[in-house]
Amino acid sequence: MYLGIQNLVMELQELQNGSVSYVACSNRNIAINVSLSCLYHNSSVSYNRYFVVSDVDREEFFIQGYDLDYLLRIDAEVFRNRNKNNLLKTLVNDFKFMKMTKENSFIIVLFDEISLLPYEGKELDKLLSKFSIFASRFNTAILFVSFGEHPEMLVKKISKKSHYISGLAVLSYDGADLKLDTKMWRNNEGVFSHGESLLKLGPKGYEFKIDNNSIDNAIDNSICYTHVDALEIDKSLFNSIHFYNSNEDLFADASQKAIAATLIFCLSSRDQVDSLGKQIYELRTTRGNFLKIIIIEKVQKVESCVRSFFLECGTNFIFEATSNSDYINAMLPSLKSMTMSKALNPSFENIIESYHLVAEEENGFLYPDVFVNKIYSIVSMHINDENIKACLLILSPKDEISIEECILRFSPKQGGDYCTAINNELYVFIPHYVENSFPEIFGQVLSSTSIELFKGNRIISKKNKILDELIDIKNNDRISHADAEFASKILKEHSLYKLN
């Protein structure tokens, strides 16, 4: 099974049995066409096919421009959400009730993104885990296709729970171009991220758009520049292969010679992220859009914000550390007809600054002023109930325990867990707090007990009290220059999610 995009290599769109994938679309017509194209091109396989539809009228499928013969060839049982409730809330139970439990089945769910956007933290985790468990138990492939105005927001939310999914992509218009932006796609042999594939809508659904102006026959289109540690490359794929002992040597040579060649860089440590991003950005902006730039990760559990940073710098493909050489070699030929049409941010400084801000937030530790402003915004604008399920902890370390040691124990467990240091006290905001659960919450985010580290603590769990505390910090200038310098030191010297 696959997404049904014609002319696009199968590895880029394969749908695995026992897995869940998401394609977020920027409007309903795109989502309808994705669903129809996928169903049409998978109707010949011997699987049970189910199509679950919510918030789309039947007539909308007949005005997309397909002929009747095309629609009649689509073979699937169709289910419609008629009661207008949130489709996703009871979806797994509905699957079972409607007997959609035959092994080796294929389910497509077409829905409005508004059904998923409200889910946060533990609720989102629980929902996605249900879909994953169902897919695995019945060896079924599930494809969720959403439509709405905020596909990137939806994908960012889901990407934090990537262990539950096998595919995640955005399909939207960028000017006149329709682009498939693959955030992550996984199969049995590896995982990759791909910045963009240009598509067009044809008589049989979506097709990969081959750039007729591509310089396939350029003198260096069959030349590869590769880091020696990247992979065991299949030498039959290229007329000439140049090997380099470092990314710096590869960059230096390619920046003088490469036009349409394939460049394969190696990410072997987190310390390389900034410099490698800058090298890729310079190559893309000075040598053009015909270069095929690939990164092979050699470190485990690279954060999604790192991959987004590399894609923003002009990378074509990123392969995770789990991807084996055979899988990567099988993918390489598909790159030769691709060009980078994405317009890059004209300022590399803006790209890297944005990346650092996101990376710092993923670690959970924020500058004191950023912490105060962010938590004030969360509590005042996004929490309406006075009896909120959130709390602000203010913790005073024991004399023999440094504030830095306390911070380095901090490990956010949910989106929105943040901490900072003000006047040698640790401030921790937890958005999912249940009254009288302080010991459990404390142990989760600090991997310790309050008795071990702190001589005193305050728990503020009322909305107005949290806001009063934050206002007092701002109005009375309680954040010192030393607090800001200390935060800079922590963010510069430590990564709370260290890559080994």
Side-chain angles (χ1 to χ4, degrees):
M1 291 169 287
Y2 67 116
L3 282 179
I5 301 172
Q6 301 165 82
N7 303 326
L8 186 65
V9 66
M10 183 64 71
E11 286 87 353
L12 301 182
Q13 56 175 325
E14 189 174 3
L15 299 168
Q16 297 286 308
N17 279 5
S19 68
V20 181
S21 302
Y22 292 80
V23 176
C25 305
S26 58
N27 67 50
R28 62 198 301 119
N29 286 332
I30 295 175
I32 291 170
N33 283 302
V34 168
S35 303
L36 292 177
S37 184
C38 187
L39 285 168
Y40 176 87
H41 290 284
N42 286 285
S43 285
S44 61
V45 296
S46 57
Y47 295 128
N48 299 288
R49 287 168 295 279
Y50 305 102
F51 187 28
V52 180
V53 181
S54 182
D55 305 299
V56 176
D57 294 329
R58 182 175 181 271
E59 292 73 20
E60 293 183 70
F61 294 98
F62 294 93
I63 60 174
Q64 302 300 324
Y66 301 107
D67 59 39
L68 184 60
D69 181 64
Y70 178 92
L71 296 174
L72 289 174
R73 287 177 181 269
I74 295 175
D75 181 12
E77 293 185 48
V78 181
F79 300 88
R80 185 180 176 193
N81 179 30
R82 295 180 181 275
N83 58 20
K84 301 300 181 181
N85 292 335
N86 188 318
L87 169 75
L88 303 180
K89 186 175 182 180
T90 60
L91 190 56
V92 169
N93 288 335
D94 291 339
F95 286 163
K96 296 175 181 177
F97 181 76
M98 300 308 296
K99 304 296 188 291
M100 299 161 65
T101 54
K102 297 177 181 177
E103 288 199 0
N104 301 318
S105 295
F106 179 35
I107 301 173
I108 296 181
V109 181
L110 175 62
F111 69 102
D112 191 322
E113 66 182 22
I114 199 170
S115 298
L116 188 54
L117 282 174
Y119 285 89
E120 298 283 355
K122 290 182 179 179
E123 288 186 347
L124 179 62
D125 193 271
K126 184 177 181 180
L127 182 72
L128 298 183
S129 69
K130 282 184 178 180
F131 299 149
S132 177
I133 291 169
F134 179 90
S136 177
R137 178 181 177 186
F138 297 103
N139 200 34
T140 291
I142 304 177
L143 174 64
F144 287 90
V145 181
S146 69
F147 56 86
E149 297 179 355
H150 308 287
E152 289 286 353
M153 184 187 301
L154 185 70
V155 164
K156 183 177 180 181
K157 182 189 295 283
I158 297 173
S159 67
K160 295 179 180 179
K161 312 290 182 182
S162 60
H163 49 289
Y164 291 128
I165 61 178
S166 290
L168 186 60
V170 174
L171 187 55
S172 62
Y173 278 102
D174 182 2
D177 293 323
L178 183 63
K179 295 183 178 180
L180 179 67
D181 184 357
T182 305
K183 306 297 185 181
M184 181 271 289
W185 212 263
R186 175 185 290 120
N187 66 25
N188 293 329
E189 297 179 308
V191 186
F192 72 89
S193 300
H194 172 42
E196 59 179 32
S197 296
L198 292 183
L199 305 183
K200 63 180 180 180
L201 186 60
K204 293 186 177 181
Y206 283 120
E207 305 172 8
F208 173 60
K209 186 178 179 181
I210 299 175
D211 186 355
N212 293 325
N213 296 318
S214 168
I215 47 177
D216 287 343
N217 297 317
I219 192 168
D220 68 341
N221 192 56
S222 292
I223 294 177
C224 177
Y225 300 66
T226 182
H227 191 295
V228 292
D229 296 329
L231 78 158
E232 295 181 17
I233 195 164
D234 182 351
K235 296 182 179 180
S236 68
L237 298 175
F238 299 94
N239 292 338
S240 176
I241 301 176
H242 305 296
F243 293 95
Y244 301 88
N245 291 318
S246 70
N247 290 329
E248 290 72 24
D249 291 342
L250 193 162
F251 166 76
D253 210 11
S255 62
Q256 298 296 318
K257 303 175 183 176
I259 299 173
T262 298
L263 315 180
I264 306 178
F265 292 92
C266 182
L267 179 65
S268 56
S269 81
R270 184 185 178 83
D271 295 336
Q272 295 177 309
V273 172
D274 288 9
S275 60
L276 181 55
K278 185 174 183 180
Q279 290 167 353
I280 290 169
Y281 183 85
E282 290 185 9
L283 284 167
R284 183 62 72 196
T285 53
T286 60
R287 305 304 294 177
N289 291 333
F290 294 109
L291 290 177
K292 292 82 176 175
I293 301 176
I294 299 169
I295 296 175
I296 311 292
E297 296 174 359
K298 292 299 180 181
V299 288
Q300 301 292 330
K301 298 181 180 178
V302 175
E303 301 101 316
S304 60
C305 65
V306 174
R307 298 193 185 102
S308 296
F309 168 64
F310 284 138
L311 294 174
E312 286 296 315
C313 290
T315 304
N316 291 94
F317 269 79
I318 304 167
F319 291 95
E320 290 188 15
T322 55
S323 303
N324 61 48
S325 293
D326 289 342
Y327 172 66
I328 298 172
N329 281 317
M331 300 274 277
L332 290 179
S334 67
L335 283 172
K336 291 190 176 182
S337 61
M338 293 184 178
T339 60
M340 174 68 72
S341 60
K342 178 178 181 178
L344 298 186
N345 188 311
S347 169
F348 175 74
E349 287 71 24
N350 289 344
I351 296 176
I352 197 167
E353 181 181 357
S354 176
Y355 156 63
H356 283 159
L357 286 173
V358 173
E360 288 161 8
E361 287 204 6
E362 289 198 352
N363 287 338
F365 180 80
L366 303 177
Y367 283 97
D369 58 334
V370 175
F371 176 90
V372 170
N373 291 331
K374 189 173 191 69
I375 304 311
Y376 187 90
S377 174
I378 291 172
V379 175
S380 61
M381 297 177 60
H382 301 293
I383 300 178
N384 297 318
D385 186 1
E386 178 59 35
N387 297 312
I388 60 175
K389 294 182 178 179
C391 73
L392 181 65
L393 307 179
I394 304 173
L395 308 163
S396 301
K398 290 182 176 180
D399 294 339
E400 66 273 18
I401 304 293
S402 70
I403 190 73
E404 183 171 355
E405 180 180 345
C406 300
I407 291 168
L408 294 180
R409 291 198 183 209
F410 180 74
S411 179
K413 298 301 181 185
Q414 301 290 342
D417 290 352
Y418 297 111
C419 79
T420 194
I422 301 174
N423 194 25
N424 205 43
E425 288 187 313
L426 184 67
Y427 282 68
V428 179
F429 178 74
I430 299 172
H432 306 285
Y433 171 73
V434 179
E435 195 171 356
N436 299 321
S437 66
F438 174 68
E440 292 79 9
I441 292 290
F442 194 95
Q444 288 176 11
V445 298
L446 286 164
S447 304
S448 181
T449 67
S450 59
I451 297 175
E452 290 177 354
L453 297 177
F454 301 100
K455 60 186 178 183
N457 63 73
R458 284 195 290 150
I459 307 172
I460 306 175
S461 58
K462 294 291 185 181
K463 176 177 180 177
N464 64 326
K465 296 293 186 182
I466 294 177
L467 294 177
D468 287 346
E469 177 69 22
L470 298 173
I471 291 170
D472 186 72
I473 292 173
K474 294 175 70 174
N475 290 347
N476 293 298
D477 297 324
R478 287 164 52 186
I479 299 173
S480 67
H481 180 67
D483 290 332
E485 286 191 335
F486 175 77
S488 294
K489 173 178 177 291
I490 290 292
L491 290 169
K492 182 177 181 180
E493 294 182 0
H494 299 287
S495 172
L496 305 186
Y497 290 138
K498 199 74 172 181
L499 299 180
N500 298 316

